[in-house]
Amino acid sequence: MKSKIYFLAASVFVFFFFISCSVQRVSKIVQHDIKSGMTKEQVVSLLGKPYKVAMASEKDVTYDQLYYKEDIWTGRTYVLTESILSFKNNVLVKIDQGQERMEGDTTIINK
């Protein structure tokens, strides 16, 4: 009887393990609900350090762009995506999608 229970428990574990492997991942921006109006500090605390930063200033206004790259599993392959987050006076005002390409491919899908 115990062996049947162990077999059933192991079968359920294996089933859910393989099901979870096929779930599509989403971008960290979507996962963490990053939206306009958030501060740069809030965004960095959720997404981590960007791989690239661009800054500019004009009179009393500062402009920053944070660049993030991540691999997203689509269910069949990985897609390398780039997101560009634009800030005005440390407040998020715009999120753009940069380059996107499939793993192992050097062709850019979107720019």
Side-chain angles (χ1 to χ4, degrees):
M1 180 69 169
K2 283 186 178 181
S3 63
K4 287 183 182 180
I5 292 173
Y6 289 128
F7 177 76
L8 179 61
S11 298
V12 170
F13 173 79
V14 170
F15 173 76
F16 282 108
F17 174 79
F18 284 111
I19 292 294
S20 68
C21 292
S22 66
V23 174
Q24 181 174 342
R25 276 193 50 205
V26 295
S27 166
K28 288 181 180 179
I29 291 171
V30 173
Q31 183 180 25
H32 292 294
D33 201 25
I34 305 297
K35 295 186 178 196
S36 293
M38 295 177 78
T39 66
K40 186 165 63 168
E41 291 76 23
Q42 289 173 314
V43 171
V44 171
S45 73
L46 292 169
L47 299 180
K49 184 178 174 182
Y51 82 92
K52 178 176 155 184
V53 176
M55 294 185 275
S57 62
E58 181 179 299
K59 297 186 181 180
D60 293 337
V61 180
T62 59
Y63 300 95
D64 299 294
Q65 286 187 318
L66 305 182
Y67 293 77
Y68 288 91
K69 282 187 181 181
E70 59 185 319
D71 290 324
I72 298 176
W73 178 249
T74 64
R76 289 180 275 160
T77 187
Y78 282 98
V79 175
L80 177 64
T81 63
E82 178 184 58
S83 299
I84 306 163
L85 286 72
S86 300
F87 296 83
K88 181 178 177 182
N89 290 331
N90 291 323
V91 176
L92 182 61
V93 293
K94 188 176 177 187
I95 302 172
D96 287 314
Q97 168 130 11
Q99 297 178 351
E100 181 177 289
R101 62 187 136 106
M102 296 178 77
E103 181 181 51
D105 189 2
T106 58
T107 305
I108 296 172
I109 299 172
N110 292 327
K111 186 171 182 182

